Amino acid sequence: MNNLNETLIPKVGVITDVRIDTPDIKTFRVVTTDGEKAFDHRPGQCAMLSVPGVGEAMFSITSSPTNEEYMEFSIKKCGCVTDWLHQAEKGQQITIRGPYGKPFPVDDVFAGKDLLFIAGGVGLAPLRSVINYCRHYRDRYGKIDIVYGSRSKDDLLDYQEIIEEWQKDEGVNVYLTIDNPQEGWDGHVGFVPNYVKELSFDTNKVAVICGPPIMIKFTLDGLCDIGFDKTDVYTTLELRMKCGVGKCGRCNVGAKYVCKDGPVFRCDELEELPDEY
Amino acid sequence: MRKCSLDKLDLLLGEIAKSNELYLPVDDSDGSAVYKKWEKGTALSDALNTVRSPKDFFFPQTENLMEFKMQGKNIEIIDTRSELEDFVIFGVRACDVKSFEILDRVFLSEPVDSYYAMRRSHGVIISLACTRPAETCFCKTFGIDPASPSGDISAWKTESEIFFEANNEKGEALLSSLGALLQDCDNEAVEAQKAKINAIMDKLPLKNLTTEGFGGGKTAELFDDPHWAELSEACLGCGTCTFVCPTCQCYDIKDFNTGNGVIRFRCWDSCMYSDFTKMAHGNNRLTQKERFRQRFMHKLVYYPENNDGLFSCVGCGRCLAKCPISMNIVKVMKTIGGDKGE
Ligand SMILES: Cc1cc2nc3c(=O)[nH]c(=O)nc-3n(C[C@H](O)[C@H](O)[C@H](O)COP(=O)(O)OP(=O)(O)OC[C@H]3O[C@@H](n4cnc5c(N)ncnc54)[C@H](O)[C@@H]3O)c2cc1C
Ligand code: SF4
Ligand code: SF4
Ligand code: FES
């Protein structure tokens, strides 16, 4: 029986690098004890990380599948597992299982289209995987616009990568914004939903929104105001999860389990679900 | 069809127990029935059904999943799953046999839950037709026939005899192994017994309860029904209904620090609990109304939507008997679905 695959039994992972991104977000690099990637994944999928004795929690795999060496997770400190991880050093072992969830339709729906990514706070974590996937296969996609906002300059995730790589790419435009004016910041100031409306993108593209629930709601309304159709807008949901495979009964919205039918949803599909997320 | 006289039942059970662990409903000291392991002298309970459902056999209330050994920064994962021996559950009612099919669709769908699958593959189920269905029974609402229970082997008890019919190879193998203790017979007595049971069913108060108005695709219609508020008003959120329910499947995964390692285990959880969906940024089911609605929408709408119309209730009546405020799925079905019962 021990040879029977069991999704609940994780693998041992090793933290090989810890990057401090913001005052409460760190990005962890993880490989197996053999120094390899724990498993293959698609952009938008998640993994369960755990610290035995502390707990298990779901995180977006923020690195792109095109990175063949390791996986990365951007983790915000907010409870037992995340507090513990924030104290962990290089070489610390954790456990990892996955991948879980339905990915973004990068190879069909997104192919050949102009793309608009909109993120708030740690919501950039799942989008970074897609953005870097699309940058890797640059010729498969049209123009890429990225709107990203945070409370302050110090709260912007992946700032170095955005400045040094994304902004320098041809056909990629990055629009950063922070909630309030701050010394040393000469960029845009204001909330993401308003900024998106101001930027008044043409609507012939696919949009992806990721962030806190309230930001998603207002941004979606804003996109609809400027003429986007909900069938062209994708987002991700975040509900409490335990199993990751639609069995523990925890993460459903109506008849859909976010862990297995999501976390990626098209906004018109989302609208069909009861308002309980 | 094979049979044996009731005064030989003890011998028969003893024979089964020689090669398999055997469990059956037994009278507890307080008069209710519980599943116990058979030992010499253990008598089959005459009660209609057990207080706890037999889901424990395949999905125990708590179960260890794995262990971890930790040393410095290193972790070792120990797979603690071990091979099981075959076991036999005797006397499972038609409703409870059906509940296994409902749980199977959850735990045996991809990715298969190996803990459940292992128990399920080693369990042999001998069902037993009901002789005295009670006022709280409404299995027929869900298309279950208490006079013809399924399982690996079906059994019927009359005043003086007990009859067996194997439904598959596993069942046939077990019956054959009992050799001369069983005699071949026709099904006349069983047919008469079935007619008796059905006559009782036709007089039960819930005989007209219907699932009309429920099923997959009804979310938009039923989710905002104004009656959820009054139905859930007195609910204590105690979770009793979910624990006694043979089809409730929600679980939690937790870690226990033993002092020289960590045991990761799972245990039943309940959508009726206030912290079930609690998150750092809030709770998507804030009041008992939402949690209460989830339990019944899941059984009557969401589950059927994902499982070819199969409902996730078998009408066993346990929640009717056990809820401290006398709330239950029957009241919900009559109120939300429009009063078509009684
Ligand atoms: C699909 C998905 C993807 C996610 N991706 C990321 C990511 O990339 N980066 C990141 O930092 N976080 C992510 N999260 C959120 C992360 O799972 C939770 O913040 C995490 O569970 C907290 O674990 P903890 O042990 O530190 O907190 P706990 O000590 O368990 O809890 C602290 C608080 O968080 C609540 N909580 C428990 N589970 C969740 C949950 N799933 N979501 C939110 N709150 C929860 C608790 O009820 C409590 O109020 C994701 C969640 C989901 C469902
Ligand atoms: S909901 Fe009540 S009647 Fe239905 S299966 Fe569960 S305990 Fe039995
Ligand atoms: S319905 Fe009854 S048994 Fe179920 S949680 Fe509410 S009070 Fe408890
Ligand atoms: S996390 Fe268990 S059902 Fe989704």
Side-chain angles (χ1 to χ4, degrees):
Chain A
M1 187 43 81
N2 287 9
N3 53 8
L4 222 170
N5 241 346
E6 173 52 62
T7 185
L8 296 180
I9 301 182
K11 289 183 182 174
V12 175
V14 189
I15 297 175
T16 53
D17 190 48
V18 184
R19 184 179 80 208
I20 301 174
D21 265 281
T22 79
D24 58 4
I25 302 173
K26 285 185 179 179
T27 298
F28 299 84
R29 207 172 265 194
V30 177
V31 295
T32 62
T33 47
D34 302 330
E36 293 177 354
K37 246 165 74 162
F39 42 77
D40 288 327
H41 72 102
R42 307 292 302 148
Q45 286 189 304
C46 305
M48 272 284 187
L49 300 186
S50 101
V51 181
V54 181
E56 207 170 27
M58 188 71 97
F59 299 99
S60 307
I61 305 167
T62 190
S63 50
S64 161
T66 51
N67 179 333
E68 280 164 13
E69 288 161 45
Y70 52 82
M71 282 186 205
E72 279 179 325
F73 300 90
S74 289
I75 296 178
K76 185 166 168 164
K77 191 172 182 233
C78 72
C80 303
V81 175
T82 53
D83 283 1
W84 200 98
L85 286 172
H86 270 248
Q87 285 179 19
E89 295 165 0
K90 270 191 218 175
Q92 176 65 48
Q93 296 191 346
I94 57 170
T95 78
I96 179 166
R97 59 183 175 97
Y100 296 122
K102 216 177 63 180
F104 286 102
V106 282
D107 293 332
D108 38 77
V109 182
F110 287 14
K113 303 260 172 64
D114 284 352
L115 303 171
L116 168 59
F117 296 102
I118 307 168
V122 74
L124 188 66
L127 288 195
R128 177 173 169 240
S129 175
V130 201
I131 291 170
N132 282 336
Y133 183 88
C134 296
R135 286 178 57 239
H136 184 90
Y137 296 110
R138 192 64 200 89
D139 52 347
R140 297 187 193 167
Y141 305 93
K143 213 172 98 186
I144 296 178
D145 291 300
I146 301 165
V147 184
Y148 177 42
S150 253
R151 269 173 307 181
S152 76
K153 178 175 182 289
D154 312 313
D155 289 296
L156 290 167
L157 186 60
D158 304 312
Y159 191 64
Q160 291 307 322
E161 185 170 318
I162 294 174
I163 299 297
E164 286 163 19
E165 297 181 34
W166 299 2
Q167 282 192 335
K168 292 188 179 150
D169 269 15
E170 192 138 334
V172 178
N173 292 312
V174 186
Y175 306 91
L176 298 176
T177 181
I178 59 174
D179 291 354
N180 297 302
Q182 189 180 2
E183 210 166 301
W185 178 260
D186 51 14
H188 188 272
V189 174
F191 295 123
V192 170
N194 297 337
Y195 194 24
V196 169
K197 274 180 96 167
E198 277 169 38
L199 287 165
S200 184
F201 294 100
D202 82 73
T203 59
N204 187 20
K205 53 175 94 240
V206 174
V208 185
I209 316 172
C210 207
I214 189 79
M215 172 254 165
I216 295 178
K217 271 181 190 159
F218 283 124
T219 308
L220 179 61
D221 289 348
L223 286 181
C224 291
D225 286 349
I226 60 175
F228 270 87
D229 196 290
K230 287 196 172 120
T231 55
D232 289 328
V233 185
Y234 290 78
T235 188
T236 68
L237 290 187
E238 207 178 275
L239 293 186
R240 187 110 187 244
M241 293 182 181
K242 287 284 175 182
C243 67
V245 285
K247 299 186 198 288
C248 77
R250 197 167 303 262
C251 70
N252 73 297
V253 180
K256 299 276 184 229
Y257 287 99
V258 175
C259 63
K260 118 178 165 297
D261 305 313
V264 173
F265 288 96
R266 214 170 63 197
C267 289
D268 61 310
E269 294 167 345
L270 204 56
E271 214 163 47
E272 301 281 302
L273 300 180
D275 188 12
E276 201 173 50
Y277 46 87
Chain B
M1 183 108 14
R2 275 166 270 197
K3 68 173 183 179
C4 103
S5 76
L6 274 185
D7 50 24
K8 293 233 184 73
L9 181 58
D10 203 46
L11 277 179
L12 190 83
L13 296 177
E15 189 61 29
I16 297 174
K18 267 188 197 163
S19 39
N20 305 281
E21 294 213 331
L22 168 65
Y23 298 87
L24 75 175
V26 172
D27 286 332
D28 208 2
S29 49
D30 66 357
S32 59
V34 289
Y35 278 96
K36 283 221 173 108
K37 194 166 153 194
W38 186 89
E39 287 161 12
K40 205 162 171 50
T42 308
L44 175 69
S45 167
D46 215 20
L48 174 65
N49 211 345
T50 52
V51 175
R52 284 174 75 112
S53 87
K55 79 176 167 188
D56 282 86
F57 287 110
F58 305 121
F59 175 45
Q61 182 162 4
T62 63
E63 132 177 77
N64 290 350
L65 301 176
M66 68 203 84
E67 283 179 33
F68 302 97
K69 291 263 178 266
M70 260 100 83
Q71 203 166 41
K73 288 181 175 173
N74 294 348
I75 299 174
E76 184 193 346
I77 301 174
I78 301 158
D79 185 349
T80 51
R81 294 175 296 169
S82 57
E83 194 57 68
L84 290 178
E85 297 289 331
D86 283 353
F87 59 98
V88 176
I89 325 173
F90 179 82
V92 184
R93 298 303 188 187
C95 53
D96 289 342
V97 178
K98 184 74 178 181
S99 77
F100 301 147
E101 180 189 334
I102 293 166
L103 294 177
D104 282 354
R105 282 178 175 254
V106 175
F107 291 112
L108 299 184
S109 61
E110 281 300 323
V112 171
D113 184 289
S114 65
Y115 304 92
Y116 178 91
M118 180 157 57
R119 290 197 161 81
R120 197 74 172 87
S121 67
H122 284 282
V124 183
I125 294 158
I126 307 181
S127 65
L128 183 59
C130 302
T131 38
R132 288 177 284 106
E135 297 198 332
T136 50
C137 294
F138 55 107
C139 51
K140 284 219 147 160
T141 298
F142 298 104
I144 299 163
D145 182 356
S148 306
S150 50
D152 300 303
I153 298 170
S154 308
W156 292 263
K157 211 171 90 175
T158 64
E159 305 276 285
S160 55
E161 290 169 311
I162 185 154
F163 296 80
F164 297 93
E165 174 109 292
N167 298 321
N168 55 29
E169 274 173 33
K170 210 167 162 185
E172 184 53 44
L174 179 60
L175 285 189
S176 309
S177 74
L178 300 172
L181 283 166
L182 295 173
Q183 315 155 229
D184 285 337
C185 63
D186 59 32
N187 55 5
E188 212 170 297
V190 165
E191 289 307 321
Q193 181 71 9
K194 285 186 187 171
K196 252 193 198 166
I197 299 166
N198 281 314
I200 301 176
M201 287 307 288
D202 288 341
K203 295 201 190 86
L204 292 182
L206 298 177
K207 65 170 190 292
N208 291 329
L209 185 71
T210 158
T211 56
E212 219 176 283
F214 296 97
K218 294 278 182 185
T219 304
E221 201 176 312
L222 303 178
F223 192 81
D224 290 320
D225 191 294
H227 296 97
W228 289 116
E230 71 194 52
L231 284 167
S232 62
E233 201 170 85
C235 174
L236 308 169
C238 66
T240 303
C241 51
T242 56
F243 277 58
V244 295
C245 181
T247 68
C248 273
Q249 110 238 349
C250 292
Y251 67 77
D252 195 359
I253 299 176
K254 290 184 170 162
D255 284 359
F256 171 72
N257 219 316
T258 61
N260 62 18
V262 169
I263 293 177
R264 179 161 294 169
F265 65 101
R266 79 162 146 212
C267 53
W268 295 350
D269 205 343
S270 174
C271 60
M272 287 293 205
Y273 291 160
S274 59
D275 60 358
F276 188 67
T277 52
K278 197 164 157 260
M279 289 170 290
H281 59 256
N283 191 337
N284 56 320
R285 295 194 199 115
L286 265 182
T287 71
Q288 199 57 26
K289 180 185 123 178
E290 284 95 45
R291 296 166 209 140
F292 183 95
R293 174 172 59 194
Q294 162 63 22
R295 176 160 195 268
F296 298 102
M297 286 294 283
H298 178 246
K299 294 199 176 303
L300 300 169
V301 180
Y302 308 153
Y303 186 95
E305 184 159 327
N306 291 328
N307 293 281
D308 313 308
L310 183 67
F311 288 93
S312 172
C313 171
V314 294
C316 70
R318 286 186 177 88
C319 60
L320 280 68
K322 288 294 166 195
C323 173
I325 59 147
S326 301
M327 180 39 67
N328 55 62
I329 194 164
V330 170
K331 288 187 181 167
V332 169
M333 287 170 76
K334 286 184 177 178
T335 312
I336 302 284
D339 193 348
K340 298 178 207 87
E342 269 174 278

